[in-house]
């Protein structure tokens, strides 16, 4: 359950960036304004006289993280309208292993990403020309890693051969496998921006890996935040006249459907909301949550929240303690009746996600081993194909 805090402008007018409360500006590490697409669809249309370029992406989108969001951001930049197909639980279990989240949860998480214009539930696991034509898409986009079927074939083989395939850069430093490993290893190494210890790297890299070798798409790489990453995710505006400023705060760890449900309800509090999300420092979260929380460090959580279509601005390092100065600002909104407490309506928490992982640990480890074994076999087939004389190549794997 998440709760909304301070709301600005009793008359429905906005507070400008300069008029935001002094305690918020003085106590926080940084403020980042978010780019906001229309909550129901595309914000930008193709220039007049040019047909809109429609782009297709598909995937499992299990445990959606900023790596998924970055892929969709890059795909959206290649066209004017982005359609995202999401596979069913049954399809994922058949080709990869059991997903962490249900298909309904995954559909809603993808829809909450601000670069997505449309979600197609129950998308086929193998991407075909028929699918692209059905949704009038010009081409599909995938990261520069490989996705294989249960029998080891490239799921994008048909669209690649037809020239309707584009690649985007995979986001370094995060993967679903990595996040699962963090939960199970119960270490705090991911809180630090320093180089991983050799012990952590050994444990993390061996989590659920195939004993026969390593491929370039699995394993753990250190996430390093840069100003460029933030700029790519945050392309926003100051509050405009007529907008209502609403402030919420929390850890927003492993940004999940509970967070989305909460922020969606907060968004509905005003006709034209401007939501500022404050994120607590890692040390604060670890103090009140304990164990190895937060699973995602502050920089990772920042990108995850910035990708949400309901959020206008993010405060990096928001205050947690209720000081006298902070309390004085909250008393006034309460007295004027502009303070709200919002029940997200979702029972899902970060703790429950971790419990799902722990309960099904052996299945997830087996899933990762199976996935890597297929990828290694595919790479070996590619290597052998490349080593053959040109005339002997059969054109397929």
């Amino acid at each position: 359950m998440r709760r909304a805090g301070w709301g600005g402008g009793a008359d429905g007018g906005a507070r400008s960036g300069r008029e935001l409360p002094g305690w918020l500006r003085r106590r926080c590490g940084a403020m980042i304004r978010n780019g906001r697409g229309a909550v129901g669809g595309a914000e930008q249309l193709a220039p007049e006289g040019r047909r809109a370029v429609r782009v297709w992406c598909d995937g499992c989108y299990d445990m959606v993280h900023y790596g998924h969001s970055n892929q969709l951001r890059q795909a959206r930049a290649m066209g004017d309208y982005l359609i995202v197909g999401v596979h069913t639980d049954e399809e994922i279990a058949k080709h990869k292993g059991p997903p962490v989240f249900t298909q309904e949860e995954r559909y809603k998480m993808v829809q909450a990403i601000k670069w997505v214009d449309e979600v197609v539930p129950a998308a086929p696991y193998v991407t075909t020309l028929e699918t692209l034509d059905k949704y009038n898409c010009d081409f599909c986009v995938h990261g520069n890693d490989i996705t294989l079927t249960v029998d080891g074939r490239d799921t994008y083989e048909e669209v690649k051969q037809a020239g309707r395939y584009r690649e985007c850069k995979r986001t370094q430093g995060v993967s679903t496998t990595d996040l699962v490993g963090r939960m199970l290893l119960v270490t705090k190494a991911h809180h630090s921006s320093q180089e991983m210890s050799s012990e952590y790297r050994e444990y993390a890299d061996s989590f659920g890996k195939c004993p026969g070798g390593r491929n370039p798409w699995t394993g753990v790489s250190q996430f390093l935040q840069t100003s460029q990453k933030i700029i790519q995710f945050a392309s926003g505006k100051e509050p405009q006249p007529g907008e209502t400023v609403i402030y919420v705060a929390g850890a927003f760890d492993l940004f999940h459907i509970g967070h989305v449900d909460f922020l969606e309800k907060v968004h509905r509090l005003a006709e034209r909301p401007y939501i500022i999300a404050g994120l607590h420092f890692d040390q604060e979260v670890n103090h009140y949550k304990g164990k190895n929380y937060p699973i995602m460090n502050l920089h990772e959580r920042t990108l995850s929240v910035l990708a949400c279509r309901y959020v206008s601005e993010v405060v990096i390092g928001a205050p947690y303690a209720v000081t006298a100065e902070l309390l004085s600002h909250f008393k006034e909104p309460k007295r004027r009746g502009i303070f709200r407490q919002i029940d997200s309506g979702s029972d899902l928490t970060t703790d429950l996600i971790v419990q799902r992982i722990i309960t099904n640990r052996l299945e997830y480890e087996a899933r990762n081993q199976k996935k890597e074994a297929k990828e290694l076999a595919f790479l070996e087939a590619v290597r052998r194909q490349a080593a053959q004389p040109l005339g002997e190549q059969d054109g397929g794997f």
Side-chain angles (χ1 to χ4, degrees):
M1 184 183 297
R2 302 291 185 275
R3 301 194 181 278
W6 167 80
D11 58 355
R15 298 176 185 265
S16 72
R18 294 182 299 278
E19 297 170 325
L20 293 175
W23 65 266
L24 193 56
R25 291 194 158 278
R26 289 191 293 274
R27 295 294 304 279
C28 302
M31 261 187 189
I32 299 174
R33 292 192 175 91
N34 199 8
R36 289 172 292 159
V39 170
E43 186 178 52
Q44 298 179 341
L45 300 176
E48 189 174 351
R50 178 173 69 80
R51 184 181 68 83
V53 175
R54 292 167 65 88
V55 181
W56 173 270
C57 283
D58 55 29
C60 303
Y61 299 103
D62 195 21
M63 289 188 64
V64 170
H65 49 68
Y66 62 89
H68 295 121
S69 300
N70 194 37
Q71 180 228 357
L72 297 175
R73 178 192 66 80
Q74 293 178 76
R76 181 62 166 79
M78 296 181 190
D80 305 297
Y81 193 85
L82 178 60
I83 302 175
V84 181
V86 183
H87 309 317
T88 63
D89 297 343
E90 183 180 1
E91 281 282 272
I92 297 173
K94 174 184 175 183
H95 293 280
K96 293 181 66 174
V100 178
F101 288 93
T102 68
Q103 58 198 41
E104 295 301 327
E105 292 171 333
R106 292 183 288 107
Y107 298 156
K108 191 162 189 177
M109 282 299 299
V110 172
Q111 185 60 61
I113 296 173
K114 65 185 178 184
W115 296 287
V116 175
D117 297 303
E118 184 179 336
V119 171
V120 175
Y125 199 81
V126 176
T127 307
T128 62
L129 295 174
E130 180 182 0
T131 297
L132 297 188
D133 291 340
K134 179 179 179 180
Y135 295 99
N136 298 314
C137 291
D138 296 86
F139 53 85
C140 72
V141 177
H142 186 67
N144 54 350
D145 54 348
I146 193 74
T147 302
L148 303 175
T149 63
V150 66
D151 56 358
R153 296 188 67 83
D154 184 352
T155 59
Y156 296 98
E157 182 178 2
E158 181 176 320
V159 292
K160 284 179 178 179
Q161 291 178 352
R164 293 173 69 179
Y165 175 84
R166 305 285 187 277
E167 263 185 10
C168 61
K169 291 183 179 179
R170 182 178 181 272
T171 304
Q172 293 298 313
V174 67
S175 67
T176 302
T177 301
D178 178 26
L179 294 176
V180 170
R182 293 185 196 182
M183 294 180 224
L184 293 175
L185 293 168
V186 196
T187 71
K188 298 181 184 179
H190 53 281
H191 294 172
S192 173
S193 61
Q194 303 301 314
E195 184 67 22
M196 294 180 194
S197 69
S198 58
E199 181 183 11
Y200 175 71
R201 182 176 292 278
E202 179 183 354
Y203 278 111
D205 275 345
S206 64
F207 168 69
K209 296 299 179 358
C210 172
R214 301 286 167 82
N215 72 62
W217 303 303
T218 56
V220 176
S221 58
Q222 182 75 359
F223 171 76
L224 296 176
Q225 181 66 291
T226 65
S227 59
Q228 183 62 28
K229 286 190 178 77
I230 293 177
I231 290 169
Q232 289 170 343
F233 273 58
S235 54
K237 309 166 185 175
E238 292 188 359
Q240 301 299 305
E243 292 185 330
T244 301
V245 177
I246 305 172
Y247 176 73
V248 300
F252 293 99
D253 193 18
L254 286 178
F255 194 75
H256 54 70
I257 195 67
H259 300 129
V260 170
D261 286 340
F262 164 66
L263 290 169
E264 184 179 16
K265 285 193 174 184
V266 172
H267 196 274
R268 292 175 182 168
L269 291 177
E271 185 176 347
R272 296 179 59 198
Y274 186 95
I275 298 174
I276 302 172
L279 303 186
H280 299 148
F281 283 116
D282 295 338
Q283 296 89 338
E284 287 282 4
V285 178
N286 188 251
H287 178 73
Y288 64 75
K289 289 281 289 182
K291 300 179 183 177
N292 62 329
Y293 292 109
I295 302 300
M296 284 184 160
N297 65 43
L298 178 59
H299 297 307
E300 295 174 311
R301 292 184 283 123
T302 296
L303 294 183
S304 296
V305 176
L306 278 173
C308 180
R309 67 174 65 247
Y310 303 116
V311 175
S312 305
E313 188 167 0
V314 167
V315 177
I316 302 176
Y320 177 79
V322 181
T323 63
E325 180 186 17
L326 179 59
L327 189 61
S328 68
H329 286 281
F330 275 97
K331 280 182 179 177
E332 181 63 11
K334 285 183 177 179
R335 186 183 68 78
R336 293 166 58 187
I338 60 173
F339 181 86
R340 300 286 187 272
Q341 289 188 325
I342 304 298
D343 185 340
S344 70
S346 173
D347 294 328
L348 187 63
T349 64
T350 305
D351 287 328
L352 287 177
I353 295 172
V354 174
Q355 281 304 119
R356 289 187 188 183
I357 296 295
I358 292 173
T359 301
N360 297 284
R361 172 172 186 158
L362 294 179
E363 287 186 74
Y364 295 131
E365 289 185 344
R367 180 185 74 177
N368 291 335
Q369 290 178 355
K370 176 182 175 184
K371 176 176 179 289
E372 185 163 34
K374 285 194 301 181
E375 291 170 351
L376 287 169
F378 182 86
L379 285 172
E380 178 60 23
V382 171
R383 187 192 65 77
R384 289 199 306 267
Q385 182 81 1
Q388 288 180 359
L390 187 61
E392 298 179 16
Q393 294 183 8
D394 59 13
F397 303 114

